[in-house]
């Protein structure tokens, strides 16, 4: 007999909605509460998913004893305060990435997590991508030797860019995935980073950026995030990672994920791995991530597939990249 | 509170072992019993997975009231008798594909399933492949119009071929997947089929074959199954399906599944979708298929994602292809 | 010192124009004469390329002693008579593929060629595609052993189909390329062929077809030609050939030819190999074919990279495929 | 009537041999002279190609009035002196890339070229790659708008790396191609560059490097050259260029060039574009480059598809990258 987990979501933007769609169909999980400051949006989604508990103030949700855990899917600028409050309330917390805008913010969350009775994990969904996990396993088995060079790209259509670039830059928003993966793959700490960004659009943050890091042990790690592909692009996301080692190389391609549809509206390669909707249910890596976190809670076992420290280190890497972009200088760690 | 399902496996070849690996890590499922005629193999796997109930006669497993459902993973020639016995015993039955060697065999199983209180499903794992499901949904949404041409390839290394070709031909063994998918995609019945096989190897069955079917509604459906790629091939499986309609086209690529590893032993593209081993657990489409069948049982809801009739129709199609290959003539339905 | 060759073109449809564009920029060649029955088209192209000799009757062109060779780019139904007249006139003749609609027509041309003092070659441009030539060389070096299975696809947008399908079917129009290549690769004669066509469009000939041939030596050869891809397709041509042998396999991909452009009008993969326009000149395999034929003439060496007999055999294969499609029966050779 | 050009080659390493193989089969060109300091190698190649004039001192070749032009295929460290001597001798000069190790060296060659009656071109073979030319044309037509980001990769097996890395670093040796192409595509001057190299091997120069440049107009240009892929890699060269503009994007893939062979020795993707050997002749972009230079000479028209200034600017870019790699600092222009 497994107890049903009562899950609340704080933040109902497009990705909070994906959380809700995913959670609402998972056995052993009850999507129990929703929270956003916009009453209309709140009612709309709560009605759609049949959720009784509705909040416009997240503190009220945290005070509700009938909620076991929350996922925080707000703007990154709000992550620190909400996460700390949630951890202090004793709830289990799944926080969307990036953990927070700065390493200092992350350190405050880490401190709160250390003393909370709730579990804490940052939702690095790529860690639950089978292609990525198999790559990590191959690296750990020594199949490619010592890593000498890595490149990761995560490029998106400007259509998507325009929706997100007032909240976060492309380099931080998607580079956080690849920064995390590169540190995980290599097990190395960064020594220095240098970055350049481009800002052709009219949103607050830069549409694209490149960062070139040097890691302990000698590897070079290069991150590319450009949210300015043409509207017509067949890529849902042009995402790939190449890792070259002293004895081998491996190539991850997340953009060409096994399905291309050419129809009256153009050429399309839909997501088949992260959160594809199959027979009206969201499946894929995001659901696997939720499953993992839920199973940890059910089993009373602290989640360790992504540690808070790792999530913090990825923020530190990308924050340094943004500092480099601002100053034009190489940033040392 | 969800009752744990007690699952037995009949047949412990390489794929029975995959069943065991997958089931042994699934929450809500107890891998409760194993059955094979080879005592040594039985002991080995039962020890490894800590399974108490061990049988060399499947009838004894079927007689055990503490087993809720069985998966049958034997040679296809044994499918009919074991499936009928299992259905008569009242257990829920997950039968591996192909359902049986002939349509007449399938009809006998269908009759047994119709009067059994157990649920019955054939394990068409491709129906649980996200790429395939998204393709089916796109077709049903009308995005490519009416289907006019389909091609499916499922080619394997001769290393794998040699292990399997004494049990089944390539055309039946892998064509059964694609025959099923093409009938499912198109919703059409076959009108005729013509096939040619090649037999360069020394095993009992032909190493490869092509079949060309005409469907009601006018579509042409072509199946390619060659289990004779070189040992060096980077393809774990070279599997792809292309569907051309009056208004669009779609391309499924199951062979290049997002990861390529080049190491000291050559170039490799491991499976990332069907049953990849991630952190020591078998994940992917096979697990999703098991989950689906288990959830149907728990909910008392008859499984309908793959119906017994559909599984039978796929056998009828491929059996006709083999008849055509034997006779050199076009076979009409 | 090399004598300039004076080249005439008979037939000025879209591909006759490509001939003219290519020839007009080739050193050692003078585009000396043009012929079409449509005076307006004739004047337009002759003016554009600065061609003095202009004919609406090809017989007059053949009678002109100041023309050394002609290429025939008319409807395939006119190939036989014009080719025979041209050969009888003593000119060197480059005839576009397919050689003629039937093997009997081809035999008449062969007879005329045998007694002509002019050289004769059918323009199988794929024989001059470097990818194809390297594949042939690898086969001849024994790298893939004895061929057991071949598949070739040559699919086009319905936009192109509509322009051509009143002249020729897809199966004959593009299958002629692949039929020729498969016979060339394998060095085998066909034993039987079976075909099915689809005809969703409103043009005279079928938009698509599949043919499955059995060759001496045991190989299966499968040809796919569907001229009904959606208007949006990124494929200029979706052309690929896979050859599986007893010891290896090879994969030719002519559709993804190294350049993809995503712009305001969609996703496009332009031809980079057959007749790309580079700095206002047509380059590529077609130019190489013309160069080869011209060099043969200059050197007085009979062209043998594609023999008339091979061109005839490819027609015989595809004509049998069309007969099979008409009758629904397997056609034996 | 076209005069035959008498061509000499200075430097007979592996690429000098490719020059010889290519030139020996080109109409209108006579491979008239060979020069290397190693008598045995000289005799071997001169015998093989039937070349009468044989030199171990390049100055003697330059003094021979019966040679019209020379290609210089020596170590890059010798380029400056030989090129200047050749230009002063009045011969036409085709110099392999990179032009010279430093911008200062290049400036001396430029000065010699400016006063020579011979034509001068650096052999940037990628400028003659149809995929690259079509990309440049699409950019110039405005199809992708203003360039904002470029990435180019040119990675090779360590087997090749070991043969070359005592002469030149990967970053200079292959980055010179991409630096040239990026400046050509964008028409922009560099503002700054930053680079990191890796040196896992035992040769004199670094096995790999990354450079990140900022260009006037705002684009970021990133160059990757790693000559340390595993021996098993199916890539003859993993070469690709992606260009993202404000209105579109384009993707050049030179590594997957339309042919993959899987045989008893592994998986291979042979070169089909640069200098493939077809029916015993070297064809492709290198031959097109030679043809272009020869045609310029025959026509008395100064070659302008690659100007000496452009070749010099590419050297300046990569030399700055190497300086950055040495110092760890960003280098401004």
């Amino acid at each position: 007999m497994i107890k049903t987990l009562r899950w609340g979501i704080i933040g109902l933007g497009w990705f909070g909605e994906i959380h809700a769609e995913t959670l609402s169909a998972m056995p052993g999980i009850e999507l129990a509460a929703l929270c956003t400051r916009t009453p209309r949006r709140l009612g709309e989604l709560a009605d759609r998913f049949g959720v009784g508990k509705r909040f416009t103030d997240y503190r009220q949700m945290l005070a509700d004893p009938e909620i076991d855990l929350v996922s925080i899917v707000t703007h990154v600028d709000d992550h620190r305060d909400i996460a700390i409050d949630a951890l202090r309330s004793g709830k289990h917390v799944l926080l969307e990435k990036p953990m927070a805008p700065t390493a200092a913010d992350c350190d405050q969350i880490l401190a709160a997590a250390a003393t909370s009775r709730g579990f804490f994990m940052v939702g690095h969904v790529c860690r639950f991508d089978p292609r990525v996990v198999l790559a990590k396993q191959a690296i750990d088995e020594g199949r490619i030797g010592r890593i000498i060079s890595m490149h990761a790209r995560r490029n998106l259509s400007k259509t998507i860019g325009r929706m997100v670039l007032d909240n976060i830059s492309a380099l931080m928003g998607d580079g956080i995935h690849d920064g995390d993966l590169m540190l995980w793959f290599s097990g190395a700490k960064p020594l220095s980073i240098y970055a350049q960004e481009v800002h052709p659009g009219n949103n607050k943050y830069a549409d694209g950026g490149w960062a070139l890091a040097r890691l302990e042990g000698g590897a070079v790690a290069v991150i590319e995030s450009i949210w300015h592909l043409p509207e017509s692009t067949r890529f849902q996301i042009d995402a790939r990672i190449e890792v070259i080692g002293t004895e081998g190389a491996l190539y991850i391609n997340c953009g060409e994920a096994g399905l291309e549809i050419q129809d009256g509206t153009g050429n399309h390669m839909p997501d088949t791995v992260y959160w594809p909707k199959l027979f009206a249910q969201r499946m894929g890596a995001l659901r696997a991530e939720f499953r993992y976190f839920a199973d940890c809670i059910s089993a009373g076992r602290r989640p360790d597939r992504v540690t808070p420290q790792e999530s913090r280190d990825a923020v530190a890497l990308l924050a340094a990249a943004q500092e480099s972009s601002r100053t034009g200088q190489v940033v040392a760690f």
Side-chain angles (χ1 to χ4, degrees), chain A residues 9-13 15-17 19 34-36 71-75:
Chain A
I9 301 172
I10 301 172
L12 293 175
F15 203 53
E17 185 173 345
H19 273 235
L34 295 178
C35 173
T36 181
S71 53
I72 301 172
V73 205
T74 62
H75 289 190

Side-chain angles (χ1 to χ4, degrees), chain A residues 93-240:
Chain A
V93 176
L94 183 70
L95 175 63
E96 265 310 318
K97 36 63 45 188
M99 190 176 178
T102 70
D105 292 330
C106 293
D107 286 334
Q108 293 188 41
I109 301 175
L110 282 177
T115 59
S116 174
R117 67 173 185 278
F119 289 161
F120 176 69
M121 188 173 86
V122 178
H124 286 280
V125 67
C126 294
R127 295 280 196 109
F128 296 84
D129 177 340
R131 301 164 296 200
V132 167
V133 173
L134 290 167
K136 169 65 173 167
Q137 291 176 176
I139 293 167
D140 286 354
E141 290 162 7
R143 292 177 62 186
I144 65 166
R146 181 172 54 81
I147 294 173
I148 59 172
S149 177
M150 292 183 276
H151 165 249
R153 168 188 298 164
R154 216 165 285 267
N155 292 350
L156 293 171
S157 156
K158 63 174 89 165
T159 312
I160 300 176
R162 272 192 293 260
M163 299 190 317
V164 189
L165 283 164
D166 285 328
N167 300 332
I168 199 164
S169 69
L171 188 54
M172 176 57 93
D174 257 340
I176 193 72
H177 289 294
D178 297 308
D180 171 60
L181 295 180
M182 287 172 165
L183 296 179
W184 188 49
F185 283 167
S186 64
K189 291 188 189 314
L191 296 173
S192 66
I193 196 162
Y194 174 77
Q196 288 277 356
E197 287 178 292
V198 294
H199 199 155
N202 297 313
N203 290 74
K204 182 174 173 192
Y205 291 103
D207 306 68
W210 281 87
L212 198 168
R214 190 84 185 197
L215 307 185
E216 281 186 2
V220 173
V222 179
I223 297 172
E224 171 188 7
S225 299
I226 314 281
W227 291 354
H228 207 77
L229 299 181
E231 282 91 348
S232 69
T233 183
R234 66 188 172 103
F235 291 113
Q236 176 101 3
I237 186 165
D238 179 12
R240 48 194 84 205

